[in-house]
Amino acid sequence: MSATMLLEEKHLSPFQALESKIVTKKAEAGIIGLGYVGLPLAVELGAAGFHVTGIDTDQRKAESLTQGKSYVKDVASDRVAALNAAGLFKATTDFSAIRYLDTISVCVPTPLRKTKDPDMSYIVAAFEEIARYVHPGMLIILESTTYPGTTSELLLPMLSESGLKVGEDFFLCFSPERVDPGNAVHVTRNIPKVIGGVTPKCTELGARFYSQAVDRVVPVSSTGVAEMVKLLENTFRMINIGLVNELAIMCDRMGFNVWEVIDAAATKPFGFMPFYPGPGLGGHCIPIDPYYLSWKSRQAGIEARFIELAGYINGGMPHFVVDKVQDSLNAKEKPVKGSRIHVLGVAYKRDIDDLRESPALDVIHLLSQKGGMVTYSDPYVPELDFEDGRKMRSEDPISALSRSDCGVIVTDHSCFDYAAILAAAPLIVDTRNAMKGMHSDKIVRL
Ligand code: SAJ
């Protein structure tokens, strides 16, 4: 019996029918995009008792999950296997599965083009598939970070072409993902979930759905507000990181220890939040999302100067680190050219394996350009493949440092033995204050 016939038979409106399915957990839930956002969400919905269909274009992902194997560090394989066994989760590459779904959460990438303009291709491709199968009583929620207006201006018309009416037949919301990869304390279930719908009924259904699987749902008045919330969160981080990076350059020039300054400022019990300088801004969100906001604000005739300036400062940090290495070697009458330089940590932040936008790649590139003989250690990243075909393999840090002229701590993984590193290295540039409290002439701090 089709969804429409069922509705007519019971004389339920699409809203009522879907609401009933949600509260009884009978709704067939779908996730498009099974990455570091989609897979944790799929597992939480499954754990809440929904039948979840995960859809991804990557056959390897679908096969791995079907075998009960997770490729996302924050999702244990045994959780996937248990949901498979209970018939609460299945993964596929077949988008026609959307036909049988009542809810769909879209968790696809939103990168930037080379021009720093939004790349909407992943979102559009997902919604083209949804538009083919959208039916009465369907809830669609976009989770991917994007510019304000995306849901209502770009995606709603795509779905309305079906002739179905938003807020009556189908329900459309935006709910920003807030995943912090590697964070074992704040996880999908306990991170408050903001959600805004195209209409109040959309918001109501979206909030009702997510409240089955997360501890706290925060409804807002529209999809645009929800889109702006996420951009504020990530732009806030990017700009404050830019501020402390600029402070690090000032302190370097004035002879202050920036880490001491920040730690002392952080004793202020109100009105201050510490951020820390580093080798640059990595990840798939913080260096990228603010440009979705600046792009949209330019359309509104407003120049987002803070974002542009912070981007410039953060983007300059790999050069600042390489200058520190060059100056430190120079002080030992060693040119970068021909020196053996060992990089410690290449992931974009500690204790994860993700390389996206990692500043370590820029540091390695710049040092190599100057003729440095660069090696690296990162237990989370066994090898590096560069676009020019070069390959590097992670080496044992202690033996590599003992043969090096200089070490550079770029990513401060917790598993590194910093005392042993200090003992082995003739010189160590520490861009993360990983050697806080350790004293030696060999340490050069950012
Ligand atoms: N970084 C600094 N100094 C800091 C904090 C971070 O240089 O004080 C660097 C990190 O080393 C990293 C980059 O910034 O290269 C991004 O770090 P991040 O801690 O913001 O981590 P992400 O991008 O993995 O996750 C962030 C989330 N993290 C936190 O809020 C702590 C959150 O902002 C978003 O939920 C997430 O991006 C997202 O998906 O938008």
Side-chain angles (χ1 to χ4, degrees), residues 218-239:
V218 182
V220 292
S221 59
S222 70
T223 56
V225 166
E227 289 159 342
M228 271 304 261
V229 164
K230 178 64 181 179
L231 290 174
L232 170 58
E233 289 169 8
N234 283 7
T235 302
F236 165 78
R237 285 185 73 73
M238 181 236 209
I239 284 174

Side-chain angles (χ1 to χ4, degrees), residues 36-37 145 177-183 191 230 233-234 237 240-241 244-245 274-287 289 314 347-350 352 356-359 410-412 432:
Y36 79 96
V37 175
T145 305
E177 61 86 3
R178 286 174 153 176
V179 174
D180 184 20
N183 190 327
I191 297 171
K230 178 64 181 179
E233 289 169 8
N234 283 7
R237 285 185 73 73
N240 279 287
I241 293 167
V244 288
N245 278 332
F275 286 85
Y276 300 96
L281 208 48
H284 27 272
C285 314
I286 306 306
D289 297 347
N314 291 325
Y348 78 78
K349 70 174 183 179
R350 76 163 74 103
I352 64 166
R356 279 175 287 189
E357 305 292 321
S358 174
V410 178
T411 307
D412 50 337
R432 297 285 196 174

